[in-house]
């Protein structure tokens, strides 16, 4: 897979402006034969940098996706192979939403080169037109000079009513909590990440300084191209660029940690907030490199909490990511992936990861949608826990109940499938679900106080917990409702 491609070269501006079009009377004499006159093609409208990487969701589709009847998903991170019976493996990649990092390399910029028009004839009225144009330019220059002189004299007169700003106006002290103040403090600790695979494919995403040892926190899908021997760099707003390496990555959580090589000693980690205390309506500030435009700052609010989101890049080998996300209307576009979502105090409350896409295609008709006000971030409390695991062991650890659940909609909850992978039992023998008495066909409707309306919702909710936590599951069987305590198990790694 590739991430949003940054750095499309922009052709230089034309060296000379187009010659003004003559009046019909002036061009009537000496005109070249029709069809032989050179033309100056109109430059194409700038296209969206990069081709679409991820499948855009049809308009109106929910943040989590159903992948068809009969396919099951294990809430600890595995899914059935495409076309196979439900397995206790990774759930098949859902259709929504797309990762917020964009597609592979594309050709942006102005689409056609400038072509100088042919010189106009110098005899007849053509020369007269040229002389008139020169005279007009000279008159314009004189008029401009007179106007500037009058304006200057008037500005110095005692009758002037204008008020000049004090000479110190450029040294405005922006109060703590303002967007400008938060951005000024956070930008120096935010990096633009360029990941490239061994075959040259790759693109751009975002990350931020996690600690003083040089660890950078980002999304798994931002660095996926560089995992197996690829090239990885991180560039600070100051322009300083560092080579980096992947320390660990978690596909299910969509979290990755990279480390700068020869990291500077003056790194300033961003402060981590408490995503559990975030409230709907709280202001948000997102930083990233949308469509390759590094160090971009956007604002919004928290639109919703605990939004169940399942996302993937849509490729056949892709493994889905699940989160109980923070939803924000701050503008998030391809290239924002891995960047920090901040609160009004400048503390990180989430990692921007995915966007809901419309079906109409994106900017410039590329088929890749931009922000429609539906962005999703991994809560920082979960991301912090995962990052610490990756730094310590290089592998993620997932909580599990040991049962495969269906991804189809309309089940009224998370339904335990009749069969697991390759015809095996959908309830792991001796696992947490089996010990709690859960059986195939049971429909889980709540986890603690959280309503569960689908398999992806259950998976995302379970992954907000740690192995060993005890949760209360409410489920229905034969029309009756039951409640049971389940102590979550664990699984290490993505495979």
């Amino acid at each position: 897979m590739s991430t949003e491609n940054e750095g499309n070269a922009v052709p230089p501006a034309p060296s000379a402006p187009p010659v003004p079009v003559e009046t019909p009377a002036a061009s009537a004499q000496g005109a070249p034969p029709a069809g032989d006159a050179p033309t100056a093609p109109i430059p194409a409208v700038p296209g969206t940098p990069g081709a679409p990487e991820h499948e855009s969701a049809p308009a109106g589709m929910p943040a989590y996706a159903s992948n068809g009847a009969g396919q099951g998903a294990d809430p600890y991170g595995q899914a059935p192979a495409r076309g196979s019976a439900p397995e206790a493996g990774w759930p098949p990649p859902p259709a929504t939403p797309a990762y917020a990092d964009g597609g592979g390399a594309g050709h942006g910029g102005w689409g056609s080169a400038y072509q100088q028009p042919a010189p106009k004839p110098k005899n007849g009225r053509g020369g007269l037109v040229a002389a008139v144009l020169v005279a007009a330019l000279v008159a314009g220059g004189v008029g401009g000079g007179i106007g500037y002189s009058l304006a200057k004299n008037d500005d110095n007169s005692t009758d002037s009513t204008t008020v000049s700003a004090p000479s110190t106006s450029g040294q405005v002290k922006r109060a703590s909590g303002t967007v400008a103040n938060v951005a000024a403090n956070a930008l120096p600790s935010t990096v633009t990440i360029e990941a490239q695979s061994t075959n040259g494919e790759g693109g751009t995403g975002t990350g931020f300084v996690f600690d003083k040892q040089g660890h950078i926190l980002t999304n798994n899908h931002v660095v996926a191209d560089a995992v197996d021997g690829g090239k990885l760099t991180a560039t600070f707003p100051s322009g300083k660029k560092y080579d980096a390496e992947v320390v660990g990555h978690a596909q299910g959580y969509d979290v990755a940690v990279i480390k700068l090589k020869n990291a500077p000693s003056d790194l300033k980690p961003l402060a981590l907030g408490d995503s559990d205390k975030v409230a709907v309506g709280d202001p948000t500030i997102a930083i990233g490199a949308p469509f390759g435009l590094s160090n971009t700052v956007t604002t919004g609010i928290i639109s919703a909490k605990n939004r169940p989101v399942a996302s993937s890049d849509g490729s056949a080998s892709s493994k889905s990511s699940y989160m109980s996300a923070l939803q924000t209307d701050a503008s998030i576009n391809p290239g924002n992936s891995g960047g920090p979502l901040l609160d009004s105090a400048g503390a990180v409350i989430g990692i921007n990861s995915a966007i809901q896409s419309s079906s109409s295609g994106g900017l410039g008709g590329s088929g890749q949608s931009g922000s429609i006000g539906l962005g999703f971030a991994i809560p920082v409390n979960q991301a912090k826990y995962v990052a610490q695991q990756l730094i310590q062991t290089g592998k993620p650890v997932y909580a599990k109940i040991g049962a495969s659940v269906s991804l189809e909609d309309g089940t009224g909850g998370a339904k335990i499938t009749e069969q697991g992978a390759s015809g095996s039992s959908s309830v792991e023998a001796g696992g947490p679900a089996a010990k709690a008495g859960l059986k195939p066909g049971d429909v889980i409707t709540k986890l603690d106080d959280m309503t569960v309306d689908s398999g992806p919702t259950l998976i995302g909710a379970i992954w907000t917990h740690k192995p060993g936590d005890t949760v209360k599951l409410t489920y229905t069987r034969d029309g009756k409702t039951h409640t049971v305590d389940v102590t979550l198990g664990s699984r290490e790694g993505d495979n």
Side-chain angles (χ1 to χ4, degrees), residues 432-458:
K435 290 180 180 179
L438 293 171
K439 298 179 179 179
D442 290 346
V443 179
I444 299 171
T445 57
K446 292 183 71 175
L447 187 150
D448 293 330
D449 294 328
M450 179 179 178
T451 299
V452 174
D453 57 5
S454 68
T457 303
L458 177 64

Side-chain angles (χ1 to χ4, degrees), residues 255-448:
V255 172
V257 176
I258 66 175
K259 188 174 184 180
L260 304 178
K261 297 180 180 179
N262 302 314
S265 59
D266 59 348
L267 288 175
K268 295 181 179 180
L270 290 183
L272 304 183
D274 186 348
S275 51
D276 290 339
K277 295 182 179 179
V278 171
V280 173
D282 280 349
T284 57
I285 302 169
I287 300 180
F291 295 103
L293 301 174
S294 300
N295 316 317
T296 295
V297 177
T298 56
T299 63
I301 62 169
I302 292 293
S303 305
K305 294 180 62 177
N306 301 318
R307 183 69 76 192
V309 172
S311 57
S312 77
D313 65 6
S315 64
S317 60
S318 173
K319 294 182 179 180
S320 301
S321 301
Y322 294 88
M323 56 180 137
S324 186
L326 296 175
Q327 181 182 324
T328 181
D329 66 348
S331 183
I332 295 175
N333 287 289
N336 274 107
S337 279
L341 185 68
L342 309 169
D343 62 16
S344 60
V348 180
I349 55 175
I351 302 177
N352 302 318
S353 181
I355 58 174
Q356 182 82 26
S357 297
S358 66
S359 60
S360 60
L363 304 173
S366 70
Q368 179 176 335
S369 293
S371 172
I372 58 173
L374 295 173
F376 305 97
I378 302 167
V380 74
N381 289 4
Q382 179 180 14
K384 177 183 177 181
Y385 164 73
V386 176
Q388 290 171 337
Q389 290 286 338
L390 295 176
I391 292 172
Q392 292 172 8
T393 68
K395 296 181 179 180
V397 177
Y398 297 91
K400 70 172 185 178
I401 64 169
S404 296
V405 296
S406 173
L407 293 181
E408 65 178 299
D409 289 330
T411 58
K415 183 178 181 179
I416 299 178
T417 56
E418 296 298 330
Q419 286 187 331
S422 303
S424 63
S425 173
S426 60
V427 179
E428 177 187 335
K435 290 180 180 179
L438 293 171
K439 298 179 179 179
D442 290 346
V443 179
I444 299 171
T445 57
K446 292 183 71 175
L447 187 150
D448 293 330

Side-chain angles (χ1 to χ4, degrees), residues 195-201 223-232 244-246 249 261:
Q196 190 176 68
S197 65
T198 53
N199 62 8
E201 295 182 354
V223 302
D225 282 325
V227 168
D228 297 319
K231 183 179 179 181
L232 198 64
E245 60 185 353
V246 178
H249 61 108
K261 297 180 180 179

Side-chain angles (χ1 to χ4, degrees), residues 38-118:
T39 59
I42 299 174
V45 175
T48 304
E53 173 197 359
H54 309 297
E55 291 295 328
S56 298
M61 184 168 284
Y64 49 87
S66 165
N67 237 22
Q71 293 192 339
D74 191 327
Y76 50 92
Q78 304 187 56
R82 291 177 177 266
S84 66
E87 304 179 337
W90 282 93
T96 62
Y99 286 136
D101 73 321
H107 300 286
W110 297 94
S112 53
Y114 176 77
Q115 182 174 350
Q116 183 70 26

